[in-house]
Amino acid sequence: MSAVIQPAKTPGTADTPRESSGTRLAVRRFLRNRLAIAGLGVVVFFVLFCFVGPLVYHTDQTHTNLQQVNLSPSGAHWLGTDAVGHDELGRLMYGGKVSLIVGLAAGVLATVIGTLWGAAAGYAGGWIDAVMMRIVDAGIAIPALFILLVVSAITTPGLAGLILILGLVSWLVPTRLIRAETLTLKNRDYILTLRAIGGTHARAILRHILPNSVSTIVVAATFQIADAILLVAYVSYLGLGLQPPATDWGGMLSAGLTAAYSGYWWLILPPGLAIILVVWAFNAIGDGLRDAFDVRGRG
C-alpha cells in the first residue's frame, strides 16, 4: 500500500515523481477500459458530426420549404425532411450542436457551483455545514424536472437562460460528493499546518483541498453533463425548451412524434438514438474515470 500513497505538495513545489507515476497509472487504467474508450470515441464522433458536419453538409435550417415536406431518405436528403421541409440530417447536426453546448455548459456550471458549495460546507463544519447541507437536502427532495417545467411555463428561456436554469437545478449531487471529499482532506497534516501558520480558509480550499479533489470533480462533471443533456431533452420533448427555428434533439423528438405514427421513422429514430448514444458515452467515460482514479482498485 505504501507504493500508492501520494504525499501532499507544499505550496509552490512541482509534482513529485510519485504523483506523476500515479497520474500515468490512472491514464493507463482508463485506456484499458474498453467501454470508456468506446464512450470517448462516441463523444468525439458527435462533436465532429455536430460542429464540423455543417461545414461540409450545407442545409438551410431557418427557412421552411413546404414543397419538400416529409420526404423519405434519398440521395438529395440522406435522412429525409421534416414536417416543414428542413433537411433532417442537417437538423440532426444543428440540434446536436445545441444539445451538446447546453449539456456541456450546464454540466460544468453545476459542477462548479456544487464544488464550491460542498467544499465550503465540508471545510466549515459545525452548524454552517448543517445549514448548508439541509438546503441541499431540501433541493434534492424536489424533482429537477418539476422545477424546469415550472420555470419553462413562466418564461421562454433562450440558450443562455436554459444553460443557467439547468445548472442551477443540477448542482446538488456534486455538492454532496465534494463535501465528502473535503471532510477527508481538511484534517490532513498539510491543512492543519497551513491553519497553524495563519493561512486563510480560502487558501486552504482553493490551493489544497480542491486540487486534491480533482479526480472526484472530473468524474462528477461527466455525469452532470449526461444528466444535463437528458434534462434538456425532457424539457424540449414537452415543448418547453428552445423555440423554433432553434431546436435540439429533444425538440426533434417532440416534433417527429406525431409524424412517426404515419410511418415517418426518420423523424424520430435518429434523434432518439443520438440522445441514447451520447448519454451512454458520457456515463461510460465517467465510470472509466472513476475506476481509473480509484486507489483501492490499483494494482
Side-chain angles (χ1 to χ4, degrees):
M1 293 298 293
S2 60
V4 297
I5 298 176
Q6 301 179 9
K9 292 187 296 182
T10 57
T13 61
D15 291 342
T16 64
R18 187 173 297 178
E19 288 173 320
S20 300
S21 177
T23 301
R24 290 196 296 269
L25 178 60
V27 172
R28 287 199 298 269
R29 287 173 58 84
F30 180 82
L31 294 177
R32 287 199 299 265
N33 190 317
R34 295 182 179 180
L35 284 179
I37 294 301
L40 183 60
V42 169
V43 171
V44 171
F45 167 78
F46 275 103
V47 168
L48 294 176
F49 175 77
C50 296
F51 290 89
V52 180
L55 302 178
V56 179
Y57 189 79
H58 302 283
T59 60
D60 184 356
Q61 296 299 321
T62 303
H63 302 93
T64 60
N65 188 347
L66 300 182
Q67 295 180 346
Q68 297 185 354
V69 172
N70 293 330
L71 297 180
S72 59
S74 64
H77 302 283
W78 292 5
L79 286 180
T81 61
D82 63 11
V84 294
H86 290 142
D87 183 274
E88 188 70 2
L89 180 58
R91 200 73 172 161
L92 193 67
M93 296 176 182
Y94 179 78
K97 182 188 298 185
V98 173
S99 292
L100 289 175
I101 289 175
V102 173
L104 287 167
V108 171
L109 177 61
T111 304
V112 169
I113 296 174
T115 296
L116 295 177
W117 189 281
Y123 184 82
W127 67 268
I128 297 178
D129 178 35
V131 171
M132 294 178 71
M133 295 312 297
R134 294 301 76 76
I135 294 174
V136 172
D137 293 340
I140 291 177
I142 305 174
L145 184 58
F146 173 76
I147 298 175
L148 290 173
L149 292 177
V150 171
V151 173
S152 298
I154 297 173
T155 182
T156 302
L159 184 63
L162 191 58
I163 292 171
L164 181 61
I165 293 171
L166 288 173
L168 291 178
V169 302
S170 304
W171 61 275
L172 303 170
V173 173
T175 294
R176 303 182 73 170
L177 295 174
I178 303 305
R179 172 184 176 268
E181 188 76 10
T182 302
L183 290 175
T184 64
L185 292 174
K186 73 174 185 178
N187 292 321
R188 297 286 179 89
D189 290 341
Y190 54 90
I191 299 294
L192 297 177
T193 301
L194 176 67
R195 295 169 62 180
I197 62 176
T200 63
H201 299 319
R203 181 180 178 86
I205 293 174
L206 297 177
R207 294 292 301 274
H208 295 279
I209 290 179
L210 293 186
N212 283 283
S213 304
V214 167
S215 60
T216 302
I217 295 170
V218 171
V219 172
T222 57
F223 290 121
Q224 287 305 122
I225 291 170
D227 290 343
I229 292 175
L230 271 181
L231 282 175
V232 71
Y234 292 155
V235 174
S236 298
Y237 179 78
L238 296 173
L240 299 174
L242 299 174
Q243 299 303 305
T247 191
D248 56 73
W249 286 335
M252 293 178 66
L253 278 177
S254 179
L257 183 62
T258 55
Y261 294 113
S262 302
Y264 304 141
W265 57 267
W266 57 88
L267 298 181
I268 191 169
L269 189 58
L273 286 176
I275 293 172
I276 292 172
L277 286 174
V278 169
V279 171
W280 169 83
F282 276 109
N283 281 318
I285 293 172
D287 288 336
L289 289 172
R290 182 183 57 199
D291 293 341
F293 286 116
D294 187 2
V295 177
R296 292 170 299 179
R298 295 180 183 176

